Amino acid sequence: MEKIQEFKGLGGMLNGFRDLVKDDKKIIFVGSPGFCTPFALFLGYPVREKEMAFIPGLEKENMRRIISTECGLELADPCSFDADTVVILGGMAMPKIGVTAEEMAAFLSQMSYKRLIGVGFMSIFQKSGWADALKFDNIMDLIIDGQVYR
C-alpha cells in the first residue's frame, strides 16, 4: 500500500480518521469486545454527527448504535447491518482473539458497504497477514510510545 498521510499524536490520529471518512454517512466499527470498544468511541468523536455503530467480535446480533451524549459517545440500541464504511479495529487481528482473516472475510461478505478501513497499532494487519487477505481501501497504522515517571 502507498503512504498517503502522516500524523503525530492522538490529535493527529483523530484528524486523520476524520479525513478518511469525511464523505461517509454511516460507519460501522468491528472490534474485540472491551478492548476495541473505547477505540471505536474515541475515533468516532470527531465525526459524532455521522451515524455509527459497533459490532463486538463477529456478533452482529449484539451490534449497537453509537450515540453522542453530554458524557461523550456511548453504545445504545441495536441498528441495521449496512454502512458506507466498515472499520476493522486491530484487536480483531490479534492471535489471542482467535479470528482468522478468512472468518473476517466471510463475516464481511454478509454486509453491504462501500469501503473497508483497518485501524490498528504496530502493523498488526501486516504482521497477521490480514493486510493481504482482506481488501482494505485504507489502513491506519499507529505507534504510541510512552513513559511513566515518578
Side-chain angles (χ1 to χ4, degrees):
M1 296 185 101
E2 165 194 9
K3 185 189 307 183
I4 60 170
Q5 183 182 26
E6 284 190 36
F7 54 85
K8 293 198 182 292
L10 296 177
M13 175 184 172
L14 293 179
N15 291 334
F17 183 74
R18 184 190 62 224
D19 293 346
L20 277 178
V21 299
K22 67 181 179 224
D23 297 325
D24 299 327
K25 289 182 175 60
K26 184 174 181 184
I27 302 162
I28 294 177
F29 296 92
V30 180
S32 61
F35 184 77
C36 290
T37 311
F39 287 103
L41 301 177
F42 180 69
L43 288 167
Y45 191 75
V47 294
R48 58 193 173 278
E49 73 283 353
K50 296 181 182 293
E51 188 179 354
M52 293 181 287
F54 179 76
I55 301 174
L58 301 180
E59 300 173 13
K60 67 180 178 182
E61 65 279 0
N62 290 327
M63 180 173 158
R64 297 291 182 263
R65 272 188 329 125
I66 297 173
I67 60 168
S68 183
T69 72
E70 63 278 357
C71 295
L73 296 184
E74 299 178 15
L75 298 181
D77 54 321
C79 57
S80 69
F81 195 54
D82 60 324
D84 295 312
T85 294
V86 172
V87 178
I88 299 175
L89 298 169
M92 292 300 292
M94 294 173 64
K96 68 180 179 179
I97 298 302
V99 175
T100 66
E102 294 75 24
E103 289 170 321
M104 180 57 75
F107 181 75
L108 292 170
S109 72
Q110 302 170 46
M111 299 176 75
S112 172
Y113 62 94
K114 299 172 188 163
R115 290 188 327 134
L116 183 63
I117 297 174
V119 177
F121 293 92
M122 300 170 59
S123 304
I124 187 65
F125 293 115
Q126 292 84 347
K127 290 176 182 175
S128 66
W130 284 35
D132 294 325
L134 299 173
K135 295 181 189 315
F136 286 107
D137 293 287
N138 300 101
I139 293 177
M140 179 180 271
D141 185 44
L142 304 120
I143 297 174
I144 295 179
D145 293 324
Q147 299 82 35
V148 175
Y149 296 97
R150 177 165 56 149

